[in-house]
């Protein structure tokens, strides 16, 4: 079948094989048709509301050494920080007063907070009536359970790539299978589970991306966040070209066709590579934006990649900008907490 027929089929049946996905990704003739189909599916299943999640970057301390990431432990060009629990709560209070209903707590993967400390923070945020998404990396089952028991609702852990050879190459000392196990544990514990991948990693092929998409489908991810790899001069991948904006939007659109009712963010990395990146993403399947509410002086140190947007603007301005984008395409900020299926 031709790409256009496959897009139609996916829009109706929400299923594609790996080779069918590749036909869509390789062929640029039908991109507008693909984006429109994803936009229609998004509208039909999760509506016109865009969910805003307030992102707090708790700490840039990381014990891992991922080849693409500026927070990797071998990067000595980065001043490290860790918010105090009081600083976290101050950011939460500000986010709530700005109207956010979900707080995302993200950090490098290290023992930044003792489990009891994290539990205390989660409990305090839940007491404010907010939903909580965690993105703290690979933890033990016991830690995931403690966070869940304290009230955490969702967890983001990107698989990054399902090509195990590339995974091994880019993640020294890490184990692909442990990452999959973590995702399974999160599911068992009753979290809404988010995952995702990088698009345009060195050596990554369209066949790999097709497998990434099928992996999201196989584990029935509740959220999928993906974006282009952006080359970072402070990492071993400094000589490698960044991924393509367009390809990452295409992968995202196919994810929407196959997983029609999930939450898909228009990611910061997309906007960092293209001035209208998030607006374009919102019109090609995305229904979530995660504006940064971290205090500005810390935010400038959470440098995963160069050119990261929103480093200089206040929490208020950041939200205003996002609301402008949303309104400019006749969408609105959703009023509920935005669990899967717009619940
Ligand atoms: N380019 C794009 N995304 C990156 N991430 C880390 N480094 C980069 C980079 N150089 C992403 C990873 C991680 C998320 C928090 O940031 O996918 O899961
Ligand atoms: Fe650490 Fe995550 Fe960056 Fe890897 S991607 S170095 S785990 S912050």
């Amino acid at each position: 079948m031709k790409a256009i027929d496959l897009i139609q089929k996916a829009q109706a049946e929400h299923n594609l094989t790996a080779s069918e996905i590749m036909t869509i990704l390789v062929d640029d003739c039908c991109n507008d048709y693909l984006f429109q189909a994803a936009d229609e599916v998004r509208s039909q299943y999760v509506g016109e509301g865009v969910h805003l999640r307030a992102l707090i970057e708790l700490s840039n301390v990381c014990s891992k050494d991922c080849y693409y990431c500026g927070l990797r432990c071998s990067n000595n060009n980065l001043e490290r920080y860790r918010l105090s629990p009081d600083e976290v709560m101050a950011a939460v209070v500000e986010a709530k007063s700005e109207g956010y209903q979900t707080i995302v707590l993200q950090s490098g993967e290290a023992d930044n907070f003792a489990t009891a400390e994290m539990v205390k923070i989660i409990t305090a945020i839940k007491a404010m009536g907010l939903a909580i998404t965690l993105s703290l990396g690979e933890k033990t089952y016991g830690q995931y359970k403690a966070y869940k028991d304290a009230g955490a609702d969702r967890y983001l852990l990107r698989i990054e790539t399902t090509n195990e050879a590339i995974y091994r190459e880019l993640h020294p000392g890490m184990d692909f299978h442990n990452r999959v196990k973590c995702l399974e544990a999160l599911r068992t514990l009753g979290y809404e589970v988010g995952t995702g991948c990088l698009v345009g990693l060195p050596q990554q092929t369209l066949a790999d991306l097709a497998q990434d998409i099928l992996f999201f489908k196989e584990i029935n991810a509740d959220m999928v966040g993906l974006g282009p790899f952006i080359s970072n001069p402070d990492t071993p991948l400094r000589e490698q070209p960044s991924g393509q904006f367009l390809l990452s939007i295409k992968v995202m659109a196919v994810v929407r066709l196959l997983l029609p009712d999930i939450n898909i963010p228009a990611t910061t990395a997309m906007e960092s590579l293209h001035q209208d990146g998030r607006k374009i993403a919102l019109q090609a399947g995305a229904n979530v934006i995660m504006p940064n509410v971290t205090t500005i002086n810390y935010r400038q140190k959470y440098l995963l990649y160069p050119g990261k947007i929103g480093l200089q603007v206040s929490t208020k301005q950041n939200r205003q900008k996002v609301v402008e984008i949303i309104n400019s395409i006749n969408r609105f900020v959703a009023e509920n907490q935005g669990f899967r299926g717009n619940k």
Side-chain angles (χ1 to χ4, degrees):
M1 270 203 264
K2 287 192 301 195
I4 195 147
D5 301 320
L6 292 170
I7 294 165
Q8 273 172 10
K9 180 176 106 135
Q11 183 170 1
E13 297 171 11
H14 312 301
N15 254 314
L16 289 171
T17 65
S19 75
E20 290 172 337
I21 294 172
M22 282 163 66
T23 302
I24 295 174
L25 295 182
V26 82
D27 192 340
D28 275 331
C29 74
C30 317
N31 288 351
D32 288 341
Y33 191 81
L34 169 65
F35 302 151
Q36 199 188 324
D39 199 45
E40 284 170 15
V41 170
R42 186 270 313 148
S43 172
Q44 187 187 343
Y45 281 83
V46 294
E48 308 308 317
V50 177
H51 299 283
L52 299 187
R53 324 284 199 201
L55 174 66
I56 304 176
E57 293 158 337
L58 300 180
S59 167
N60 66 357
V61 178
C62 189
S63 61
K64 296 291 155 68
D65 218 10
C66 309
Y67 271 36
Y68 43 79
C69 178
L71 306 195
R72 65 199 304 267
C73 58
S74 301
N75 180 13
N76 296 321
N77 291 338
L78 190 68
E79 200 184 312
R80 305 286 170 162
Y81 74 88
R82 193 197 90 135
L83 266 60
S84 70
D86 283 350
E87 287 172 317
V88 177
M89 291 317 294
V92 173
V93 167
E94 188 180 9
K96 180 166 179 176
S97 77
E98 289 289 325
Y100 290 101
Q101 298 193 59
T102 290
I103 305 292
V104 183
L105 303 178
Q106 186 166 76
S107 74
E109 194 177 310
D111 291 324
N112 280 302
F113 293 87
T115 307
E117 217 172 357
M118 203 63 220
V119 161
K120 233 167 128 182
I121 292 170
I122 294 167
T123 309
I125 298 174
K126 286 306 285 185
M128 295 168 68
L130 299 164
I132 300 185
T133 306
L134 300 176
S135 178
L136 311 173
E138 294 178 29
K139 300 281 173 192
T140 64
Y141 188 90
Q143 284 172 308
Y144 287 149
K145 182 166 186 328
Y147 304 154
K148 185 78 183 66
D149 290 346
D153 301 285
R154 318 180 180 120
Y155 205 103
L156 303 174
L157 185 70
R158 289 185 177 178
I159 194 71
E160 313 292 2
T161 174
T162 55
N163 178 318
E164 289 187 44
I166 296 178
Y167 189 92
R168 220 173 300 122
E169 183 94 2
L170 298 183
H171 302 95
M174 290 171 73
D175 176 6
F176 178 83
H177 297 282
N178 191 57
R179 211 161 178 86
V180 174
K181 263 200 202 135
C182 285
L183 289 167
E184 287 165 1
L186 291 164
R187 170 74 71 208
T188 305
L189 286 164
Y191 283 93
E192 278 205 345
V193 178
T195 189
C197 64
L198 287 163
V199 176
L201 288 168
Q203 317 293 330
Q204 188 185 44
T205 63
L206 295 182
D208 294 329
L209 290 168
Q211 290 305 329
D212 291 351
I213 295 170
L214 291 178
F215 174 80
F216 306 150
K217 176 102 177 145
E218 188 186 310
I219 69 164
N220 190 20
D222 301 302
M223 309 174 268
V224 171
L226 58 88
F229 154 67
I230 301 175
S231 189
N232 185 330
D234 285 334
T235 69
L237 300 188
R238 62 182 70 82
E239 309 284 344
Q240 302 292 332
S242 293
Q244 288 167 0
F245 169 75
L246 189 65
L247 183 58
S248 63
I249 296 281
K250 288 183 73 174
V251 172
M252 187 195 74
V254 175
V255 171
R256 173 58 75 196
L257 296 181
L258 298 196
L259 288 151
D261 66 340
I262 67 168
N263 283 316
I264 301 182
T267 57
T268 308
M270 288 173 173
E271 186 113 336
S272 298
L273 279 197
H274 189 297
Q275 198 187 318
D276 288 323
R278 289 182 297 183
K279 183 166 158 180
I280 293 168
L282 284 177
Q283 295 173 288
N287 70 321
V288 171
I289 296 187
M290 296 162 61
N292 203 318
V293 303
T294 315
T295 325
I296 289 179
N297 55 331
Y298 291 128
R299 207 187 298 168
Q300 290 170 346
K301 299 190 175 113
Y302 205 86
L303 273 187
L304 303 164
Y305 46 80
K308 196 171 156 207
I309 55 156
L311 295 182
Q312 310 280 2
V313 281
S314 70
T315 291
K316 216 184 192 78
Q317 289 166 327
N318 231 341
R319 184 176 170 111
Q320 266 165 10
K321 165 112 200 275
V322 163
V323 173
E324 269 167 35
I325 295 173
I326 293 168
N327 292 338
S328 76
I329 51 172
N330 294 320
R331 304 264 284 278
F332 58 87
V333 176
E335 283 179 3
N336 60 7
Q337 291 190 329
F339 286 85
R340 182 176 186 174
N342 195 23
K343 295 199 179 72

